[in-house]
Amino acid sequence: VSELFRKGSSGTVITGEKIITIMYPVTKLAIAGGGPIAEALAENARLLGWRVVMAQAVDQATGLMADLASIDAAVIMGHDVESSSMSLAAALESNAGYIGALGSQKMQQNRADWLAYRGITEISRVHGPAGVDIGATSPAEIAISILAQAIEAVKAP
């Protein structure tokens, strides 16, 4: 049992007359949107052992956010203010430990205005623009900067 916990994995151990099942929690990354950054983000998150779920359609993306727990992360992509803001609102209703929103400061403000118009003003959980400021330019670099920020947030007590 201790070995399974050290490995950070689930499994079953049979000792004598006992069967012990360990269900080790796995971080889930919900990505709302698509494109090269989303693909790089998903690929790198899988390398971390995270479970990745993605959706480009807003109704599917908002559904992904519903069951996020404090060990989970949500990343909102997209250039359309309405659809990305709808996904962001759903993420804010969840218990996600990390919520990142891609886009410029202007896009962040447009989303904040969209949310405020609908009565959602507490957006301090949103990291936007998402990612650690490392001067990232390629999709892979941007993905790593986002994951670094997400790791810090979901690992915090």
Side-chain angles (χ1 to χ4, degrees), residues 3-92:
E3 183 65 24
L4 286 172
F5 272 107
R6 268 194 299 283
K7 288 181 182 178
S9 62
S10 299
T12 300
V13 177
I14 301 172
T15 58
E17 294 182 18
K18 294 181 182 179
I19 299 174
I20 303 169
T21 301
I22 303 298
M23 304 294 277
Y24 196 85
V26 175
T27 298
K28 178 174 28 173
L29 172 62
I31 303 172
I37 296 171
E39 292 300 325
L41 192 57
E43 181 180 335
N44 284 287
R46 287 185 187 105
L47 289 174
L48 294 172
W50 292 11
R51 188 165 63 94
V52 177
V53 292
M54 300 173 68
Q56 291 190 25
V58 69
D59 57 337
Q60 293 173 340
T62 56
L64 293 179
M65 306 300 163
D67 68 343
L68 296 179
S70 62
I71 66 165
D72 298 329
V75 177
I76 311 304
M77 311 212 147
H79 296 53
D80 178 67
V81 174
E82 184 159 348
S83 61
S84 63
S85 297
M86 290 172 75
S87 297
L88 186 55
L92 284 165

Side-chain angles (χ1 to χ4, degrees), residues 85-139:
S85 297
M86 290 172 75
S87 297
L88 186 55
L92 284 165
E93 289 177 12
S94 78
N95 291 320
Y98 175 79
I99 301 171
L102 266 67
S104 66
Q105 289 294 346
K106 181 176 181 188
M107 175 57 93
Q108 303 302 324
Q109 186 58 56
N110 288 343
R111 287 183 185 133
D113 292 345
W114 188 95
L115 293 167
Y117 182 76
R118 286 149 184 85
I120 304 168
T121 56
E122 178 46 54
I123 59 171
S124 63
R125 294 172 50 213
V126 178
H127 297 266
V132 176
D133 187 4
I134 58 171
T137 56
S138 72

